[in-house]
Structures are given as C-alpha cells and as structure tokens.
Amino acid sequence: MVDYRKLVAEAAKAKENAYVPYSQFRVGAAILTDKGQIFTGCNIENSSFGLTICAERTALFKAVSAGHRKFQALAVSTDTEEITSPCGACRQVLIEFGEDIEIIMANVYGDYQVFTVGELLPLAFKPEKLKEERLT
Ligand code: THU
C-alpha cells in the first residue's frame, strides 16, 4: 500500500528547494520506487527559460540515475489552492517507466487527487512501439 500522505509530505518538503527566480512558482515532487525508496526533486529554472526542468523530472531522473527502473507512485506539490497536474513533457517521461505509476497531485493544504500516468496520457507513444515490426 502506498502511503500517499507521506509521499505528499516529502514532495512539499522538496518544494522548499525550488529554484524559481522567474516564475516564483514552486513545485516539489517525490517518487516512490518498487523497493520503497523515495527520491525527491524540485523545479529548477534558468535564465534561458527553455532549459528549466520540472520537479517531477528532477525526482525521476535522480531515481533512474541511482539505478532504479520501477516505480509505484509520484507525488507533486504546489502552493496553489487548485491541484497542479504534471506537464505533457513530464507525463511522457514518466510513462516510459510504466503507465500504472500513480500520480498524487497535492494542493497547498495537502489535499490530493490520484490518477495513473496512463489516465493522464491516453494514447501515449510508448517504448513498446519501437519493438513493433515496421513495414518499410
Ligand atoms: N513546473 C513543474 O515543475 N512541474 C509541473 O508539473 C508544471 C510546471 C514548473 C516549471 C516552471 O519552473 C514553473 O513550474 C512554471 O511553469
């Protein structure tokens, strides 16, 4: 059983390290591996705006670069009253590691909603596609 509240709390803590001089929009994320380990991340902006990385990808890349490949859930926390759902780029990067990863989206009060990555990115381009027979 995934402890959603704990993962949300970790994401909220990670949010404190957000580097957001341009948007002031802090985001924190926490990803739970299949083995129960948690990696956290925040958004890191850049004066060359397109180089900004989202909190979700920071957390995922930290986990992958530490050798993990299977994930149970990822929580994302923002300072807004409405929940924030991961951007399209993050959805694509997350679905590479499985459509069943649960995404826990939390608002500033810690209230949350849960959807799987597959629900957030229907008809996704997936790694299996590259293994399919091609006709030309
Ligand atoms: N951002 C995230 O970190 N995650 C999301 O899911 C949406 C957007 C960041 C990128 C940028 O630093 C700021 O939020 C405003 O777009």
Side-chain angles (χ1 to χ4, degrees):
M1 262 313 283
V2 174
D3 187 342
Y4 293 145
R5 291 238 155 261
K6 178 179 163 59
L7 210 55
V8 166
E10 291 288 335
K13 212 192 301 168
K15 190 172 59 182
E16 289 168 21
N17 290 329
Y19 175 73
V20 289
Y22 308 105
S23 73
Q24 326 297 336
F25 191 83
R26 303 190 309 165
V27 187
I31 191 163
L32 178 68
T33 71
D34 59 333
K35 305 219 164 68
Q37 213 174 326
I38 293 174
F39 290 81
T40 60
C42 59
N43 51 336
I44 305 168
E45 299 187 341
N46 193 275
S47 54
S48 178
F49 298 155
L51 300 183
T52 290
I53 186 162
C54 295
E56 297 91 323
R57 272 176 288 156
T58 304
L60 175 69
F61 291 162
K62 280 171 67 179
V64 171
S65 62
H68 299 276
R69 297 290 184 270
K70 291 196 175 131
F71 305 100
Q72 300 184 56
L74 176 141
V76 53
S77 166
T78 54
D79 294 326
T80 51
E81 289 209 314
E82 297 273 311
I83 59 152
T84 298
S85 61
C87 78
C90 288
R91 293 175 199 206
Q92 180 65 35
V93 172
L94 283 159
I95 213 163
E96 179 80 14
F97 295 94
E99 61 191 4
D100 295 329
I101 300 170
E102 290 184 297
I103 307 297
I104 303 127
M105 299 170 269
N107 69 3
V108 68
Y109 307 118
D111 303 325
Y112 57 80
Q113 286 181 24
V114 186
F115 291 90
T116 66
V117 183
E119 286 170 333
L120 293 178
L121 191 62
L123 295 177
F125 185 80
K126 297 192 193 133
E128 303 82 63
K129 184 51 68 177
L130 300 178
K131 296 188 193 118
E132 247 178 58
E133 186 192 356
R134 270 150 282 162
L135 298 178
T136 59

